[in-house]
Amino acid sequence: MEHGNRTALVTGGARGLGTEICRQLANQGLRVLVAARKREAAEEACRGIGPAAVPLALDVTSAASVTEAVREAQGRYGTIDVLVNNAGVSVDASRTALELDEDTLRTTLDTNLVGAWRLAEAIVPGMARGGYGRVVNVTSSYGSLALMDSGRRPAYRISKTALNALTRMLAAELAGTGVLVNAADPGWTRSGMGGSAAPRGPEEGADTPVWLATLPEGDGTTGGLFADRKPLPW
C-alpha cells in the first residue's frame, strides 16, 4: 500500500518498538518524522531506516518542545497526517497500588498520558481541517479495566487506562471528520522498556500500531483497542 506524500510523526522513535514502527511506515511509502528527546539519537535511528526518515528533536514532557517541534515539522511538510504516540515510561515495576509515591505517578502520567495529549492538541486540529488523519496511542492490556487483576505497576496501569480514555474521547469528538483514533497493545515486546526476555520481536509488536496508522480511506475503524489486529475489551 502506498501513501503518497503523507507524513507520520512517531514519538519515542529512536529505539526499539518505536524505530520498528518508523521503519514499517517508511516501507509503506510515508515520510516518517522520527521523534526523540535527543536529535542525535533520532539521527542515528534515521540512518538505519533510510531516506524516508527525518529526525525530529521532541520531548513529550515539555509543552515548549512539543510546540517547537510541531511548528518545525509543519513548516517543512505541512499537515502531519499520522500521529503515533509511542513514547512511554514504566518505572514502578516493584510497586503496588498501596506503595506508590506521588512523584513516580506524576512522572509516568506526564509522559504516558499528558505527552500524548499535548501532541494530539498540537496536531489533530490540522488533520480534521484536512479531512484525513490517523492517531494511534500505543497502550497496554495492563490499562484495560476489564482485564485488570493486579495492583502491580500502578502508575503504568493508571497512565494507560487514562490514555485509553483519551482515545475514546478523541474518537468521539472527531467522528465524521476523517480522523480515526485507536489504541494499540503491541504485547510484551523486546525493547528498552520490555527487556530482552520478552517473547515478541519489535517486528511483531509494531504490526498492529502500523496497521491502525495506515487504515485506508473509507475505513471507519475508530475508538477501539486492538492487539494482534483484534479488539480487546476496555
Side-chain angles (χ1 to χ4, degrees):
M1 182 185 301
E2 294 295 330
H3 294 274
N5 292 319
R6 297 205 188 281
T7 299
L9 189 155
V10 181
T11 65
R15 62 177 186 167
L17 178 65
T19 300
E20 183 58 30
I21 291 171
C22 291
R23 179 178 292 108
Q24 292 188 20
L25 289 173
N27 287 344
Q28 293 205 34
L30 285 89
R31 177 189 299 112
V32 183
L33 306 179
V34 179
R37 284 177 295 177
K38 295 184 178 180
R39 185 176 292 272
E40 295 80 5
E43 290 172 345
E44 182 177 352
C46 288
R47 284 192 287 271
I49 295 169
V54 179
L56 183 68
L58 191 160
D59 179 356
V60 301
T61 67
S62 165
S65 176
V66 168
T67 298
E68 179 58 31
V70 172
R71 181 184 295 119
E72 175 187 341
Q74 290 176 335
R76 293 179 64 184
Y77 304 114
T79 301
I80 296 169
D81 307 289
V82 175
L83 169 62
V84 181
N85 284 310
N86 169 72
V89 297
S90 177
V91 293
D92 61 341
S94 63
R95 310 290 181 83
T96 69
L98 295 179
E99 299 169 341
L100 184 66
D101 64 277
E102 291 185 11
D103 286 344
T104 298
L105 176 60
R106 290 192 184 96
T107 297
T108 304
L109 288 172
D110 199 26
T111 298
N112 296 2
L113 171 65
V114 182
W117 210 323
R118 288 184 180 112
L119 267 297
E121 285 185 316
I123 292 172
V124 171
M127 293 179 176
R129 287 192 297 270
Y132 176 92
R134 303 290 181 265
V135 179
V136 182
N137 293 323
V138 178
T139 184
S140 169
S141 61
Y142 274 21
S144 166
L145 291 172
L147 302 176
M148 202 171 292
D149 59 359
S150 168
R152 290 185 62 250
R153 297 181 184 267
Y156 182 75
R157 287 179 187 272
I158 287 292
S159 71
K160 293 302 186 180
T161 303
L163 183 63
N164 292 347
L166 177 63
T167 302
R168 294 284 288 177
M169 288 190 292
L170 290 176
E173 184 174 343
L174 293 161
T177 66
V179 181
L180 307 180
V181 187
N182 291 287
D185 172 17
W188 185 16
T189 301
R190 290 189 293 278
S191 65
M193 183 185 297
S196 59
R200 290 182 168 220
E203 299 86 354
E204 187 177 3
D207 179 72
T208 296
V210 171
W211 166 63
L212 291 170
T214 56
L215 290 171
E217 293 193 64
D219 191 310
T221 303
T222 193
L225 167 60
F226 297 89
D228 296 324
R229 302 195 183 193
K230 298 176 182 178
L232 283 180
W234 291 107

